[in-house]
Amino acid sequence: MNAKAESRANTFGDRIRELRKSKGYSLRKLAPLVGVGFSYLSKVENDRLDFDGSPSESLIHRLADVLEADEEELLLLAHHVPATIAKQIFDHPDLFRALARCNERQLRAIENQACGPTE
């Protein structure tokens, strides 16, 4: 993970709160801009959604648009696989099966080779 990503919040809700506050929005102001109630948005920010624990992809898209955020980052934080990544998985299934079998050390080595050292 690079330094920019490390400065970001650990959960989807934390990241949304961070982005919302950086734009100067209250929950009551942001909620109608993305088409939800402020109490629902509060549950999103506090990672307390009742059903599967993550918001819909359409809400994530709207949040990314309004908050001018990286949609792929938000999707991943919410445990959704972005379409661009899903396409790569389906186009290269053997590669992703091999990656799934790697341990943490092996994954870090692959990441460093592909992206450069993270520190």
Side-chain angles (χ1 to χ4, degrees):
M1 189 179 302
N2 63 35
K4 182 179 176 185
E6 286 177 346
S7 71
R8 294 183 178 167
N10 291 329
T11 70
F12 178 81
D14 290 339
R15 183 67 177 134
I16 295 301
R17 182 180 304 105
E18 180 181 273
L19 289 164
R20 174 180 60 77
K21 287 182 176 185
S22 75
K23 293 288 184 188
Y25 291 136
S26 67
L27 283 170
R28 289 187 186 270
K29 183 170 182 178
L30 178 59
L33 296 176
V34 296
V36 297
F38 79 92
S39 61
Y40 180 81
L41 192 54
S42 176
K43 285 183 178 184
V44 168
E45 284 192 3
N46 289 295
D47 298 307
R48 296 189 187 270
L49 292 178
D50 297 329
F51 45 98
D52 69 1
S54 67
S56 69
E57 287 188 29
S58 64
L59 176 57
I60 294 168
H61 175 74
R62 293 189 310 268
L63 284 163
D65 282 349
V66 171
L67 297 172
E68 299 176 0
D70 181 334
E71 185 173 352
E72 285 189 355
E73 174 199 11
L74 296 181
L75 285 165
L76 290 168
L77 283 171
H79 299 132
H80 290 275
V81 178
T84 55
I85 294 173
K87 181 180 180 334
Q88 291 290 350
I89 292 168
F90 293 125
D91 287 350
H92 307 282
D94 292 337
L95 170 61
F96 285 90
R97 277 195 294 275
L99 285 172
R101 291 189 296 268
C102 291
N103 63 36
E104 188 66 24
R105 182 187 55 75
Q106 292 167 319
L107 287 172
R108 290 288 169 225
I110 293 167
E111 179 183 28
N112 286 339
Q113 185 174 10
C115 305
T118 58
E119 312 207 339

